[in-house]
Amino acid sequence: MDSLSAIAANVQPLHFVLGVMVAWLILGGLGLVAQHSLDFVGHGLFPASAVASLVLAGAGLAALGAPSQAMILALGLPDLPFHVRLDALSAFFLVLLGGASAGISIYSAGYFRQGEGTPPGVHCVLYQVFLAAMAAVIIADDAYMFMVAWETMALSSYFLVTSNHKIPAIRSAGFLYLLLAHIGAIGILLCFGIMQGGHGDYTFATMRAAPLTEFWASAAFLLALFGFGAKAGVLPMHAWLPEAHPAAPTPVSALMSGVMLKTAIYGLLRVTFDLLQIQLPWWGVLALVLGLMTALFGVMFAAVQTDMKRLLAYSSIENIGIILAGFGLTLIFHTYNAGPLAALALAATLYHCINHAFFKSLLFLVTGTVLHSTNTRSLGKLGGLIRHMPWVAWLGLIGTIAIAGLPPLNGFVSEWLLLQAFLATPGLPSSYLSMLVPVGAAAFVLAAALAGYVMVKFYGVIFLGQPREEKLARAHDATWLERIGLVWLAAGCVVLGVVPVFVLGQLDHVNAMLTGHLLGQQVGGAGWLFVSAMAPERASYSPLLFLLGVLAALGATFALVRKLYHGRMRRGPAWDCGFPLQTARMQDTAEGFGQPIKQIFEPVFRIDRHMPSPFDELPRYEGKAEDKLWYALYLPVARAVEWISASISILQSGRIHIYLLYSFVTLLVLLIFVR
Amino acid sequence: MTPTFAGQLINLLAALLLLIAFAMLSQRRVLSLIYLFAWQGFVLVLSTTLVAYSTGQHHLYYSAALTLILKVFALPWILHRLIIRLNIKWDVETLINIPTTMLLGIVLVIFAFNLALPISQLASTVTKNTLGIAMACVLLAFLMMITRRKAVPQVIGFLAIENGLFFAATSATYGMPMVVEFGVALDVLVGTFIFGIFFFQIRETFDSLDIHHLEKLKED
């Protein structure tokens, strides 16, 4: 008994994390045993995986306050073992991974149907490997394990994206994703190569100690920004996001958008604040500008989408932009030794990361249920679903309010904190920055406001109004397992929004590790009920009171209306505005919602309009807003690559003599050189 | 035997080697090519023995024995059996006509000598002048591989390259370590077997040993 309790006393959060990863891999292996048994995979393995996720989140939470622990695993190559380390930064991202994936896994249990692409068992393997790889990325403590985990993550998610691989569009979307993932991975690999500083030792411990000149540190940072940016979908490496997310099965989209993008943010934070010894101000300015551009770009394109999953994918780009801007702001404050401000900006950035993980996963899952019961992703064919799918609609409303950045939910808290950090910038010594940052703050607010606009469109067109198609009347609500997943994520949005002081208290451990400063009293100075950014007298906010106020007002209005108007309501023909006939198709459409944005920001889009002529038998209007960058950057690069490879393929004549001649000439040339 | 006399003899053998290399380059018949290859091997054995005798490097005797077994008897026998099994009676077709090939060969020899000159001036071995010839042999064998259209002469060219390298090793540094030599000898043997299997496969697929047909394998 004594030895058992001794073992129990020695069990550290890191052991739990490793145990969860092993459990995931075992669950994946079990999926292979009964590949086609939907019952076993759906009702057995995926719920078990969700439980493992919860354990992971718990272990992460426990490790947040604890000192960091490291271990050397008996895995990897001989003489090149895997190092793992669990510190505050890893712990935070493990909480994010565990918390979001718990909901997504339990939703997946009810989501997969027979006869859709890959058999459920194979899907289960890939899904669990994907989860384990993300956890491995987060706890890796040497570049070797990091890259192995990173590539495993990319490959497993590629196969998940292309699980419906019989459709050509999905195959090409998967290819684009894989291509950009690998180009990014090259950047990361080179970044690690620089940071090891010629020792040949790729553990993170050596990299932390390796002194780099400003030039090489900057090169490492730029490569990291490029490599992790490609994974996160930062401009201009965003092209895969709007293609891959709609192509993937919904739980996979949720996992990729909610969690996988954050691993890139994790990598960026790890490299910049932990592994590099010096940071330069201009890195922060670059990240800030890039982040704001990404945010505006994403939200503008989200506003003109007519496919609900594409809309959410562009919205992910926007949120990643906001997170990157927060990261840039943190860097700026950190390099100007404004410690408390850096801690504030970092806390806001991390807060937004976990918020986005919850509300974006929730919204993707909502679209998944809508897609299953209506078989369409096009916003133009939906509408009025709140009457047929009340569960999905009400839970979706929570996610919508959260992502739109409205109080009292979580999206508001992080955006408010970030804005507070922006507003504190005039205290910096650089006059250029004092000019730049207000513009940045304005851009940030514009992006946040447009995000609200986008979400009104998203929710309004899908759930409100009248059904635009006959068949929508037959739409069914989510299954009970799906509901559990949705409720979990929605509850996450509410809890994260209502108890910000507690969340910020946990984030302080990460602040202490990366910036060396604590928020401490700064945010909780006015008691646990109120959160304040700088000082209570400047600005503070109490979500709980706000929530109670909103609920009270809502309840009072509802009661009053019921009491005063009860029985006086009558239904009659509406004022028809001179239209003799009004149908559901006359409602404002998704295109109509996007029209003002299309007009105002016309230079941003490449708009392709097809107008019907007055004499058309079947008049048809079509307007496509395409990505200019795709034409200005991706296609020229692709054409150049194609041209180069075509020029090189002349070498491949198929004749052995010619090949031999190549070797011969090479040999001669080398001999001449040697001489 | 005085060192100068031994040196002169080795130079003579080296010249023979080069001559045989040119003969192989100009030879049109597969069977004669194999005999020439065997003769080249034999000259190599002689020169290796001579170097071993005149310098007292005993391990070179083993190399010579190995060469004798492998390159004078085993490989020519395997190739011989192969062309009988494959029923290759026809003459070797070349891509470039023979005189042009010979002219190219002369250019290569001059190039090789030019190249070897500074190296052999540094060397202190009795056989230092032969390095250029060894290099020329390698290049000539390579040229043969390029200009032949059929698969069998190409393999012989490949083996002749190995001969040239072996000669370079003995002449410049008194041979490689025994382990390396064993390894190389085994590789050559295995390589020949694999080529033999390939020949059958190529013929089965294309009804011919003309590697011209392999162009169809190219991806468009």
Side-chain angles (χ1 to χ4, degrees), chain B:
Chain B
M1 204 189 300
T2 60
T4 28
F5 181 58
Q8 276 171 352
L9 264 184
I10 288 169
N11 277 348
L12 176 69
L13 289 173
L16 268 177
L17 219 54
L18 191 61
L19 198 65
I20 293 171
F22 266 105
M24 284 167 89
L25 202 56
S26 63
Q27 185 51 255
R28 286 172 183 278
R29 292 175 56 89
V30 182
L31 210 56
S32 318
L33 208 53
I34 293 173
Y35 292 145
L36 281 172
F37 171 69
W39 275 112
Q40 199 182 29
F42 186 66
V43 174
L44 203 58
V45 171
L46 284 186
S47 75
T48 312
T49 320
L50 206 59
V51 172
Y53 177 73
S54 63
T55 61
Q57 302 272 332
H58 288 289
H59 75 267
L60 281 180
Y61 286 122
Y62 300 112
S63 311
L66 200 63
T67 315
L68 186 70
I69 295 167
L70 202 61
K71 288 186 184 144
V72 183
F73 297 113
L75 287 178
W77 181 70
I78 292 170
L79 288 170
H80 198 242
R81 266 181 62 100
L82 208 59
I83 63 164
I84 287 170
R85 287 278 298 279
L86 289 167
N87 196 17
I88 312 171
K89 289 276 158 59
W90 59 78
D91 288 356
V92 178
E93 296 170 53
T94 57
L95 285 176
I96 312 173
N97 63 23
I98 299 287
T100 320
T101 319
M102 302 290 276
L103 283 175
L104 275 176
I106 292 168
V107 172
L108 283 180
V109 172
I110 295 168
F111 173 76
F113 270 82
N114 248 321
L115 204 66
L117 200 63
I119 306 171
S120 53
Q121 273 166 357
L122 286 174
S124 57
T125 55
V126 285
T127 51
K128 60 182 183 184
N129 296 328
T130 53
L131 191 62
I133 293 180
M135 214 173 270
C137 285
V138 172
L139 294 181
L140 286 176
F142 213 143
L143 187 63
M144 187 172 97
M145 278 180 86
I146 294 174
T147 53
R148 296 303 150 102
R149 185 166 286 185
K150 293 285 193 292
V152 181
Q154 285 200 327
V155 172
I156 296 173
F158 172 73
L159 294 170
I161 288 182
E162 211 276 326
N163 275 351
L165 284 177
F166 185 80
F167 186 63
T170 45
S171 64
T173 62
Y174 295 146
M176 297 171 273
M178 210 55 209
V179 184
V180 179
E181 247 163 61
F182 269 121
V184 171
L186 200 67
D187 279 351
V188 168
L189 198 63
V190 170
T192 315
F193 276 118
I194 292 173
F195 278 127
I197 294 162
F198 270 137
F199 290 156
F200 283 105
Q201 292 294 335
I202 291 171
R203 198 178 59 163
E204 217 152 85
T205 316
F206 298 113
D207 269 338
S208 153
L209 267 182
D210 195 331
I211 49 178
H212 161 73
H213 295 288
L214 293 184
E215 284 171 35
K216 288 177 200 151
L217 298 178
K218 179 189 166 190
E219 195 182 349
D220 285 317

Side-chain angles (χ1 to χ4, degrees), chain A residues 69-70 182 281 425-426 457 623:
Chain A
Q69 325 152 35
H182 274 88
T425 336
K457 165 181 169 176

Side-chain angles (χ1 to χ4, degrees), chain A residues 140-230:
Chain A
D141 196 35
D142 61 280
Y144 168 50
M145 179 177 177
F146 189 94
M147 289 314 293
V148 169
W150 188 261
E151 291 291 297
T152 312
M153 186 175 88
L155 278 180
S156 52
S157 53
Y158 164 75
F159 285 116
L160 284 170
V161 167
T162 54
S163 63
N164 230 336
H165 54 84
K166 297 208 172 77
I167 301 170
I170 289 182
R171 280 202 304 273
S172 65
F175 174 74
L176 184 66
Y177 167 53
L178 195 65
L179 185 72
L180 278 170
H182 274 88
I183 293 174
I186 293 172
I188 299 168
L189 195 64
L190 291 176
C191 163
F192 284 135
I194 291 177
M195 282 194 300
Q196 53 95 21
H199 300 267
D201 183 1
Y202 282 87
T203 58
F204 283 174
T206 331
M207 291 182 191
R208 281 186 195 102
L212 289 180
T213 59
E214 281 194 0
F215 174 78
W216 285 114
S218 301
F221 173 77
L222 289 178
L223 282 169
L225 189 62
F226 171 78
F228 290 117

